[in-house]
Amino acid sequence: MIIGVPKEIKNHEYRVGMTPASVRELVNNKHSVLVETNAGMGIGFTDDDYVAAGATVLGTAAEIFAKAEMIVKVKEPQAVERAMLREGQILFTYLHLAPDLPQTQDLIKSKAICIAYETVTDNRGGLPLLAPMSEVAGRMSIQAGARALEKSCGGRGMLLGGVPGVAPAKVVVIGGGMVGTNAAQMAVGLGADVTVLDRSVDVLRRINAQFNGAVKAIYSTADALEQEVLAADLVIGGVLVPGAAAPKLVTKDHIKRMKPGSAIVDVAIDQGGCVETSKPTTHAEPTYIVDDVVHYCVANMPGAVPRTSTFALNNATLPFIIRLANKGYKQALLDDQHLMNGLNVMHGHVTNQSVAEALGFSFVEPKVALNA
Ligand SMILES: NC(=O)c1ccc[n+]([C@@H]2O[C@H](COP(=O)([O-])OP(=O)(O)OC[C@H]3O[C@@H](n4cnc5c(N)ncnc54)[C@H](O)[C@@H]3O)[C@@H](O)[C@H]2O)c1
């Protein structure tokens, strides 16, 4: 199969669909990979690195889209990219279609086979191609929070781990899933005093076992949450209610009563945030202050560490890319229900029920669309 990797064109997006190491795996499987010039430049991969891995480097995205049978990207295709998609071409990337009518309309029109990273599932009920970004964001949240606690950022002027003779900061993590567990791990590693709140007793059991008691795992009632948040120096918001906006667990009233100079990193901001006073910010200006509480609410945290994020994403996507290339999309989808769950739009039909419902399209079963 001919696989195409265009350079990402969304503002400040430096990640790339395939690393040179991933290219080499595909070439070893007897496929051809076309990479747009400078596609990996932002994270230190030169065209020569790609050529050494066996890729052919082409000058424009138009050439890549014209020749490739499968396009592998990171972000959803922008309007100019969508115009280059063609019937029968495979698109494998993040799509996030539910809130994006123009993109969905264009993908329907293209008649391409559009598989979204974010809806591919696994045996444990997880989303394996979203998980790496939650790991990155969870770990980064502690770096961001540590910085927010510095005096020059408006924080209390506290070191997360304290020093011998001085107590560490109290970090409260709301939600003990992928983001929360990774945040807790970093915070414990830095020597902070860490508490995780969750609504799932299974999650609390896992946290307790995983950290051998070094992290307090507390059931998240309104009462417990209030007590913990008011005592915290740093709060990390990592809740998720699948398919819904994040619940506003930290209220305006809590913010007013929190310690002056304390900080909140609301990682769940991409789902609207779990703090009433949160509003999305960017890496250019990541924080703002409400009632003396520093808020960090960057909606695309992994974008700040695109090199790590690209490697993490490739580790998760590569097995699927290889299967799609080796078997062809039909067989690869039929053989793997989890990959099939990633199919969002195909041959002009919407094949994901939530996307169809959100945007008012009729839903066509993926298997029906596949055999049409
Ligand atoms: N800002 C970013 O750049 C970025 C990057 C990655 C992920 N995220 C977001 O981070 C959030 C968390 O993602 P995740 O992968 O960790 O999800 P996850 O499903 O692994 O974990 C979410 C946890 O929240 C818990 N929860 C739900 N309601 C709760 C409540 N009322 N009180 C306490 N806990 C509750 C769940 O039991 C679950 O354990 C999501 O909104 C995700 O989109 C943001």
Side-chain angles (χ1 to χ4, degrees):
M1 185 183 278
I2 304 172
I3 296 133
V5 183
K7 182 173 163 54
E8 294 295 319
I9 54 173
K10 203 167 174 182
N11 200 14
H12 281 297
E13 181 56 64
Y14 301 103
R15 288 175 291 177
V16 57
M18 287 174 72
T19 60
S22 295
V23 168
R24 192 164 165 192
E25 296 285 331
L26 267 295
V27 171
N28 286 348
N29 276 271
K30 311 260 179 295
H31 302 292
S32 317
V33 185
L34 311 175
V35 178
E36 187 178 347
T37 185
N38 290 333
M41 211 50 185
I43 53 171
F45 297 131
T46 62
D47 287 352
D48 286 348
D49 294 332
Y50 279 104
V51 170
T56 303
V57 173
L58 297 179
T60 62
E63 289 171 87
I64 307 268
F65 277 82
K67 292 184 174 148
E69 297 164 87
M70 171 160 67
I71 299 287
V72 178
K73 275 175 53 63
V74 179
K75 296 305 278 188
E76 71 281 3
Q78 304 301 292
V80 286
E81 295 174 312
R82 301 195 302 257
M84 293 189 278
L85 284 169
R86 59 166 196 276
E87 183 163 2
Q89 196 168 38
I90 309 165
L91 172 67
F92 194 38
T93 190
Y94 287 119
L95 292 176
H96 296 289
L97 291 180
D100 193 344
L101 181 62
Q103 190 197 169
T104 309
Q105 285 170 329
D106 286 352
L107 295 185
I108 290 172
K109 211 168 87 191
S110 75
K111 302 222 162 113
I113 296 116
C114 307
I115 307 172
Y117 292 161
E118 71 274 7
T119 61
V120 173
T121 51
D122 66 18
N123 281 332
R124 287 162 297 161
L127 302 169
L129 305 190
L130 257 195
M133 295 306 106
S134 287
E135 287 175 320
V136 170
R139 289 177 180 223
M140 231 190 103
S141 69
I142 298 301
Q143 265 174 239
R147 174 92 181 98
L149 281 176
E150 289 176 18
K151 196 72 197 164
S152 59
C153 293
R156 302 191 77 204
M158 273 185 103
L159 191 59
L160 273 187
V163 289
V166 180
K170 178 174 171 63
V171 177
V172 173
V173 182
I174 312 175
M178 198 54 85
V179 164
T181 304
N182 280 277
Q185 191 177 342
M186 291 298 110
V188 163
L190 285 173
D193 170 7
V194 186
T195 302
V196 172
L197 296 159
D198 204 288
R199 286 239 144 166
S200 155
V201 177
D202 283 342
V203 166
L204 296 174
R205 279 200 191 103
R206 176 180 50 74
I207 297 272
N208 189 266
Q210 182 170 344
F211 295 101
N212 216 1
V215 167
K216 280 157 260 170
I218 308 269
Y219 189 78
S220 181
T221 58
D223 215 42
L225 187 122
E226 180 169 284
Q227 263 185 42
E228 292 296 330
V229 164
L230 296 186
D233 299 300
L234 172 61
V235 173
I236 307 292
V239 297
L240 177 65
V241 179
K248 301 287 181 204
L249 300 173
V250 179
T251 64
K252 282 183 185 156
D253 176 59
H254 291 146
I255 298 287
K256 281 198 174 69
R257 292 156 64 206
M258 280 175 73
K259 295 182 204 168
S262 55
I264 294 187
V265 177
D266 196 353
V267 185
I269 189 68
D270 63 339
Q271 299 290 334
C274 60
V275 178
E276 233 175 13
T277 45
S278 288
K279 55 173 201 251
T281 59
T282 63
H283 290 295
E285 223 171 303
T287 59
Y288 60 95
I289 297 176
V290 177
D291 290 331
D292 276 335
V293 176
V294 184
H295 290 53
Y296 175 104
C297 304
V298 175
N300 67 331
M301 294 174 67
V305 288
R307 194 173 158 91
T308 302
S309 300
T310 295
F311 283 116
L313 181 63
N314 269 243
N315 290 344
T317 55
L318 182 61
F320 294 103
I321 300 171
I322 291 175
R323 266 180 263 152
L324 282 164
N326 283 355
K327 297 182 177 184
Y329 72 85
K330 260 195 186 162
Q331 202 55 48
L333 289 166
L334 286 171
D335 285 354
D336 182 353
Q337 183 56 44
H338 293 301
L339 183 59
M340 185 80 98
N341 290 339
L343 194 63
N344 275 226
V345 177
M346 177 182 213
H347 299 329
H349 302 292
V350 177
T351 52
N352 177 287
Q353 190 141 24
S354 319
V355 172
E357 275 167 18
L359 298 174
F361 289 105
S362 50
F363 164 66
V364 176
E365 282 284 349
K367 276 197 181 131
V368 173
L370 199 61
N371 292 319

